[in-house]
Amino acid sequence: MPNVSMPSGQDWDAVNVGRGTVGRPGAKPKTASQIAAARAAGTLTTERKFGAGTNSSAHSATIMSARKLEESDDLKIAKVDKSLSKAIMQARTAKKMTQKELATAINEKPQVVAEYESGKAIPNPQIISKLERKLGAKLPRPGKKPSAPKAAGGAKTTRTAGRGR
């Protein structure tokens, strides 16, 4: 029997599909030598954009951080008052509870109770009310900043005068 090769249905030759650059005269240079040749011929020019290649945010951050540092001197974050931390500690020990037991009872982390007792926490009225309910004691609330004093009888006299009494 003679050896006859049967076509397998596969074409293993290279095929360029789409917009290939094979043999096209206006192809973009890819290698450094092609780029240098294109520049020498005048077919390739480059333009530099304003601020290109710089990280402007890195340079302006020093100015902003210095400005923020100056502003942060005026701000003071309110911390828990010593009277509140002492009251929490006394009420908890009177109930014979640990910080962890109290924290689980009010659905908070033990670290929150520890911060309140050490005076490092920022006062949260919801947490303070949870502590009051669980400990069964009235805790001192952080005071609000005093506002302008109001006239004592001014509002009452106007209200009663408007009713015609």
Side-chain angles (χ1 to χ4, degrees):
M1 279 211 213
N3 271 343
V4 179
S5 63
M6 297 290 284
S8 64
Q10 295 290 329
D11 185 12
W12 297 102
D13 294 333
V15 177
N16 191 5
V17 179
R19 298 173 50 185
T21 59
V22 176
R24 200 165 50 153
K28 292 181 184 176
K30 301 241 188 294
T31 63
S33 60
Q34 289 174 344
I35 292 172
R39 278 192 184 147
T43 58
L44 179 70
T45 59
T46 57
E47 294 179 9
R48 179 170 278 247
K49 292 185 178 182
F50 177 75
T54 61
N55 189 356
S56 59
S57 63
H59 301 294
S60 64
T62 56
I63 297 168
M64 290 301 292
S65 64
R67 197 175 297 155
K68 286 180 183 176
L69 284 173
E70 290 174 7
E71 291 175 359
S72 66
D73 293 339
D74 300 340
L75 302 174
K76 181 163 173 123
I77 298 173
K79 300 286 182 181
V80 173
D81 195 29
K82 286 289 179 189
S83 61
L84 176 63
S85 61
K86 194 178 253 187
I88 292 171
M89 199 178 307
Q90 287 174 349
R92 180 181 57 81
T93 52
K95 291 263 186 176
K96 296 181 179 163
M97 296 176 79
T98 63
Q99 287 182 349
K100 186 175 182 179
E101 290 171 348
L102 178 60
T104 54
I106 63 168
N107 293 328
E108 294 291 338
K109 294 180 180 178
Q111 152 185 354
V112 172
V113 175
E115 286 176 353
Y116 269 86
E117 288 188 1
S118 65
K120 294 179 183 176
I122 298 171
N124 184 349
Q126 291 175 333
I127 295 176
I128 295 172
S129 64
K130 284 182 190 180
L131 288 167
E132 284 178 341
R133 272 185 266 136
K134 192 62 191 173
L135 295 172
K138 181 76 176 154
L139 299 173
R141 297 288 179 125
K144 294 182 180 177
K145 293 182 180 177
S147 58
K150 296 180 181 177
K156 281 187 175 181
T157 54
T158 353
R159 201 178 299 151
T160 54
R163 290 184 185 164
R165 287 186 185 185

